[in-house]
Amino acid sequence: MTFHVLTIFPGFFRGPFEHGVVARAAQSGRIRLCVHNLRDWTTDKHRTVDDRPFGGGEGMVLKPEPIFRAVEAIWPERQPGQRVILLTPQGRLFNHAVARRLAQERELLLICGRYEGVDERVAEHLADEELSIGDYVLSGGELAACVVIDAVARLIPGVLGNEDSATQESFAAPGDELGILDYPQYTRPADFRGWKVPEVLLSGHHEEIRRWRRQAALAKTARLRPELLEKPVPR
Ligand code: SAM
């Protein structure tokens, strides 16, 4: 799968894309990461990407022309499986179910806004969807793009070493549903400052461990995210 990112800060992605699962997936060729500098599609000598908002008000707005030009140059004829996503706090909330849907696509192109945001004609006439990573306002879409790419990439077959990892984690569920939280994890030492690991996990009884984990996951979900239990709990 290919991820394109359109940004005025291409250097921003050096850190996030050079570590862990995403970096390994790129090195192995399971994903392709293409970071595009929005300024490459400007036409004036100052490489201007923003302008003042019509109607007045604070700050600057990203202009539509370089963004349309960039997307039309990256995908001269957009095909099915090539999806343009505008990152914005006004978008639909990104979650595991959305990540699973996006992992089915061939290519994603993530547009990172800055300043006061992006000229609305990008949302209306270029983007397939608007996504938000949470109900708060970031300074730019770059962090949001990293979040989306990381969450989607780990659902692509072969990206995680152990295929079960993605299906057993928090929120994993079939279809469009959101699953419950993962069970609590422990590692050595079995006794840390007097806080002991639940006995059953040391017992070696796989069925009892499975049952304990299921109960513990339900209890933790009920405590921290009760709304996830309001739908039928996927097995
Ligand atoms: N004026 C906009 C508003 O109030 O809705 C906020 C603009 S924000 C300062 C600048 C850019 O950061 C946005 O265009 C978007 O790309 C990105 N951004 C900010 N918060 C985000 C969020 N929660 N999810 C995704 N992108 C976000």
Side-chain angles (χ1 to χ4, degrees), residues 87-90 113 115-117 131-134 136-141 144:
L87 296 160
T88 159
Q90 302 166 16
Y115 315 125
E116 288 310 309
L131 283 184
S132 163
I133 63 160
Y136 39 77
V137 177
L138 302 164
S139 316

Side-chain angles (χ1 to χ4, degrees), residues 1-59:
M1 177 169 191
T2 300
F3 296 92
H4 297 274
V5 182
L6 191 57
T7 172
I8 61 167
F9 294 130
F12 189 99
F13 295 90
R14 261 182 241 125
F17 287 175
E18 284 174 5
H19 297 90
V21 169
V22 170
R24 280 200 305 278
Q27 280 154 14
S28 70
R30 299 210 188 263
I31 65 169
R32 208 160 63 95
L33 300 165
C34 307
V35 180
H36 306 272
N37 187 344
L38 181 60
R39 291 191 197 279
D40 290 346
W41 281 279
T42 53
T43 50
D44 64 312
K45 77 169 188 229
H46 299 295
R47 307 182 87 201
T48 310
V49 290
D50 58 333
D51 207 336
R52 291 188 306 277
F54 277 124
E58 292 300 308

Side-chain angles (χ1 to χ4, degrees), residues 200-212:
V200 61
L201 298 179
L202 312 177
S203 68
H205 294 303
H206 296 302
E207 185 50 27
E208 280 178 33
I209 291 171
R210 195 195 62 76
R211 249 184 285 136
W212 180 88

Side-chain angles (χ1 to χ4, degrees), residues 79-120:
Q79 309 287 327
Q82 294 178 324
R83 204 160 176 80
V84 177
I85 294 169
L86 176 63
L87 296 160
T88 159
Q90 302 166 16
R92 178 180 171 193
L93 271 186
F94 180 68
N95 64 18
H96 192 79
V98 176
R100 226 168 19 218
R101 169 170 62 76
L102 295 180
Q104 311 296 319
E105 304 286 351
R106 265 190 316 118
E107 296 188 56
L108 299 181
L109 194 158
L110 305 168
I111 300 172
C112 304
R114 276 275 157 181
Y115 315 125
E116 288 310 309
V118 177
D119 185 290
E120 190 66 16

